[in-house]
Amino acid sequence: MGSETNIILPAAGKGTRLNLPYPKELHRVIEGSSLIDFSLAHIRARRDKVDRVSIVIDQGKEAVYDYVSAQLPDIEVRHCRFNHAYSEWPGSILSAEELFLDRNIVFLPDSVLTPKLPHEVLAQFDAQFAANREIVFWYKSVTKEDPIHALGALMVRGDRIEDFCDKPDPSIANHFNAFWTTFGFCKEAGPDLLRMMMKSVARERVNITALDCTIGAFEVEGYKDLGTWPSIRDFVGRHGR
């Protein structure tokens, strides 16, 4: 029996940057696409590789689960509530621990990921897991325009991750050469990884190599965070309504 794959959509945030009267994930960005549809497109493209979609919500976000369930009628879609004993985005993902399967891939529902080849995302994760990677990062190399101090920073060498820091202090930002855009993990590695990430979000320096896991990486062609109005306006200007 093969390994099962779970896609995790952390949608428990309050969306304060957009300040909408409804869940930000359902905001219609361009014709035919709400924010969360950019993540769902990767699932639809390789639905044969997806066994479950797990959505983390909080009070007032039930419509997100309803929407995703309607959009993916042939895939098992489940939801859980954000565990307020945890914090920030890693805590949102960890809240879904009871829904973890053998392989778990996180898509941020307010971002647009462009693979180097069409429909490559899930296939590349599958290949990394098949090569016995326990944690896999999809990353973008840093350019002068990327505010690494406000991102999930990585030090990448080849297809390996050597360091991780969430929003590094400017004094050490130059140490990092990439940032993660999405990531995946095997069921056993997930809790320790996410707890480490929570510590990093809380400004505690962490050592990702101390997880004692095999960590792989592959590069994204393009990435766009659509969590702010300026980024949405820029995206609409480039792609039309």
Side-chain angles (χ1 to χ4, degrees):
M1 187 174 183
S3 298
E4 293 185 309
T5 297
N6 176 39
I7 306 297
I8 302 174
L9 300 169
K14 297 183 183 301
T16 53
R17 293 187 297 172
L18 295 182
N19 195 29
L20 292 163
Y22 50 84
K24 69 174 183 178
E25 294 82 4
L26 304 184
H27 179 65
R28 189 69 71 179
V29 180
I30 57 176
E31 185 175 354
S33 292
S34 298
L35 275 177
I36 202 168
D37 281 309
F38 297 110
S39 294
L40 300 186
H42 297 297
I43 300 171
R44 294 190 190 99
R46 297 305 300 267
R47 55 185 3 108
D48 58 305
K49 292 187 175 292
V50 179
D51 298 283
R52 174 186 295 164
V53 174
S54 300
I55 307 170
V56 185
I57 60 173
D58 211 345
Q59 187 169 354
K61 304 294 290 285
E62 294 81 3
V64 179
Y65 167 71
D66 294 339
Y67 181 83
V68 174
S69 297
Q71 294 296 311
L72 303 174
D74 56 340
I75 297 177
E76 178 191 14
V77 179
R78 298 182 63 180
H79 74 283
C80 66
R81 296 280 180 172
F82 178 71
N83 183 343
H84 288 273
Y86 301 145
S87 60
E88 298 287 347
W89 57 265
S92 182
I93 301 164
L94 186 56
S95 297
E97 183 176 3
E98 64 180 18
L99 300 177
F100 289 176
L101 294 178
D102 305 309
R103 300 169 172 179
N104 305 274
I105 301 167
V106 177
F107 284 130
L108 300 181
D110 59 357
S111 64
V112 179
L113 300 169
T114 307
K116 291 182 178 294
L117 296 173
H119 315 318
E120 184 183 54
V121 183
L122 296 184
Q124 284 207 346
F125 271 112
D126 195 49
Q128 290 275 340
F129 286 130
N132 296 317
R133 304 285 194 266
E134 296 166 276
I135 298 169
V136 183
F137 284 94
W138 214 38
Y139 71 91
K140 184 178 183 299
S141 296
V142 171
T143 67
K144 291 181 179 179
E145 290 74 33
D146 295 316
I148 192 66
H149 63 278
L151 299 167
L154 300 170
M155 168 51 71
V156 182
R157 293 193 190 279
D159 65 346
R160 302 284 180 170
I161 301 295
E162 296 186 354
D163 204 357
F164 168 92
C165 184
D166 188 76
K167 300 179 178 63
D169 186 271
S171 64
I172 62 170
N174 288 339
H175 166 70
F176 300 94
N177 63 2
F179 62 92
W180 67 266
T181 61
T182 188
F183 63 96
F185 51 84
C186 293
K187 184 176 184 178
E188 295 77 14
D192 286 344
L193 169 67
L194 294 164
R195 288 188 172 90
M196 182 212 75
M197 288 175 156
M198 275 195 287
K199 289 180 179 179
S200 187
V201 171
R203 315 311 299 164
E204 181 178 335
R205 193 73 171 97
V206 297
N207 178 9
I208 195 170
T209 62
L211 293 175
D212 195 27
C213 292
T214 55
I215 304 174
F218 55 101
E219 191 167 8
V220 62
E221 179 70 23
Y223 171 80
K224 185 72 172 179
D225 175 5
L226 296 183
T228 66
W229 285 118
S231 63
I232 289 177
R233 286 192 289 269
D234 178 69
F235 183 83
V236 171
R238 294 173 183 269
H239 297 273
R241 289 194 172 276

